[in-house]
Amino acid sequence: MVTATSTVAEPTTEAIVSRRSSAPRRRGRASETPFVGRLFANIFLWGYAIIAIGPLLLMVNNSLRTQQQIASEPLGLPIPPTFTSFQKAWITASFDTYFINSITVTVGSVIVTTVVSVLAAYAFARARAKFFRGIEAVFLSGLMLPVHLAILPLFYLLDSLKMTSNVFSLILVYGALGIPFTTFVLTVFFRALPIELEEAARIDGAGPLRTFLMILLPLVRPALATVIVFRFVPVWNDFFYPLILLRDRDSYTLPVGLTRFFGEYSTDWPQLFAGLTIATIPLVVLFLLATKQIISGLTSGMSK
């Protein structure tokens, strides 16, 4: 009786040695590249952070010093620190009024923009009629219009309505200017949501309004946080429209109110830096509170 046997060639000693010697070198080369990349990335990010935070620290530092200290040593430390400039800026220079006006205009315009845009974006994302496509094109055409060219007819329109020197007019102007961009961003997010969520809610007995408020709106919360921040910052820092549309000093916002510190022959630098610090605090608080939502909104859809 003959049995067939199969022989397997065993690896030679030279092959085993070559494999063992080559494996660590491959792991070493693979581990060197990410380390170098992380090193350069960290150096770049820390350098950018220093460049970005440096002027802010200098601003806060000089707001705690006197006019004589800034004139004699511009980069010196506040030893001892003084808060007199903040008191003068807040009370004497009417910064409390400017701050309230800026909060009113910025928050009011962001609310108007967000409410109108989120409703329009949901309609554009779910509507299938060509009529809505035309309206969406009209909305998005606002992204291509240079809005500053419309300042003259806008001024005459508000003046004829007796709405100049009124913060309510700025709320309407800023609210309208932010609708095209906000609608575009939110429409993209609503279209990414599966239609099966609404169908399931309809089967469970939820109406359109409840489905929108309880299911869809929480899902686009990162996008809402992103567009709110993107609208809050330019409106808060804007100098052009308040300067043109506001005539009464009591209705000035912070950017326009800061111009009161600039004189013809001298400038009160401590009060100016104190005013800039006051104007910067809401932006820093906003970014600290909404950082997680902003990152989630900007990176949505980048990974599966």
Side-chain angles (χ1 to χ4, degrees):
M1 185 174 181
V2 180
T3 58
T5 59
S6 59
T7 60
V8 179
E10 296 183 356
T12 61
T13 305
E14 292 80 1
I16 296 175
V17 172
S18 62
R19 292 177 185 175
R20 291 180 178 178
S21 60
S22 60
R25 288 199 299 270
R26 288 198 298 268
R27 288 195 297 267
R29 287 194 300 267
S31 61
E32 288 175 1
T33 303
F35 174 77
V36 174
R38 288 195 300 269
L39 179 62
F40 279 103
N42 289 331
I43 293 175
F44 173 77
L45 293 177
W46 278 108
Y48 177 79
I50 293 173
I51 294 174
I53 298 177
L56 297 178
L57 296 178
L58 180 62
M59 175 186 67
V60 176
N61 177 71
N62 287 335
S63 67
L64 301 175
R65 306 171 68 202
T66 62
Q67 183 80 356
Q68 293 76 15
Q69 291 175 338
I70 295 177
S72 60
E73 194 176 358
L75 300 179
L77 296 176
I79 302 175
T82 175
F83 295 91
T84 307
S85 57
F86 286 91
Q87 182 180 1
K88 291 181 179 179
W90 187 259
I91 299 176
T92 307
S94 302
F95 247 63
D96 54 346
T97 303
Y98 303 151
F99 190 86
I100 294 174
N101 291 338
S102 291
I103 288 290
T104 304
V105 170
T106 306
V107 174
S109 63
V110 169
I111 291 176
V112 171
T113 299
T114 305
V115 171
V116 174
S117 299
V118 73
L119 296 175
Y122 176 65
F124 294 151
R126 291 296 182 256
R128 299 180 180 178
K130 295 182 178 180
F131 173 73
F132 286 94
R133 299 298 183 188
I135 299 180
E136 182 180 2
V138 173
F139 268 72
L140 298 182
S141 64
L143 295 172
M144 300 179 291
L145 298 177
V147 293
H148 290 87
L149 295 181
I151 186 60
L152 188 60
L154 184 61
F155 175 80
Y156 283 123
L157 174 63
L158 295 176
D159 187 58
S160 63
L161 297 175
K162 307 299 181 182
M163 293 182 63
T164 54
S165 295
N166 189 348
V167 295
F168 183 70
S169 62
L170 281 180
I171 292 176
L172 295 180
V173 170
Y174 287 132
L177 294 178
I179 288 176
F181 172 77
T182 309
T183 303
F184 170 74
V185 174
L186 294 178
T187 302
V188 175
F189 273 81
F190 275 117
R191 284 175 178 165
L193 298 179
I195 193 67
E196 289 78 10
L197 294 175
E198 301 171 58
E199 296 175 351
R202 193 179 302 113
I203 294 174
D204 291 338
L209 182 60
R210 185 177 180 182
T211 302
F212 173 75
L213 295 177
M214 303 299 294
I215 298 177
L216 299 180
L217 201 58
L219 293 177
V220 297
R221 186 174 56 183
L224 286 175
T226 303
V227 296
I228 286 174
V229 173
F230 280 7
R231 286 306 304 161
F232 190 98
V233 174
V235 173
W236 182 267
N237 293 328
D238 186 60
F239 177 80
F240 180 75
Y241 285 103
L243 179 65
I244 302 298
L245 300 180
L246 299 180
R247 299 178 181 177
D248 189 6
R249 179 171 292 181
D250 293 334
S251 61
Y252 282 174
T253 57
L254 282 175
V256 181
L258 286 170
T259 59
R260 295 188 60 186
F261 294 119
F262 292 95
E264 184 177 359
Y265 301 103
S266 64
T267 299
D268 193 340
W269 292 108
Q271 288 193 46
L272 176 62
F273 286 122
L276 291 172
T277 303
I278 294 173
T280 307
I281 290 175
L283 300 180
V284 175
V285 173
L286 178 65
F287 274 101
L288 292 177
L289 295 177
T291 298
K292 183 178 180 180
Q293 298 296 331
I294 295 172
I295 296 175
S296 178
L298 293 176
T299 59
S300 178
M302 296 180 62
S303 61
K304 296 182 179 179

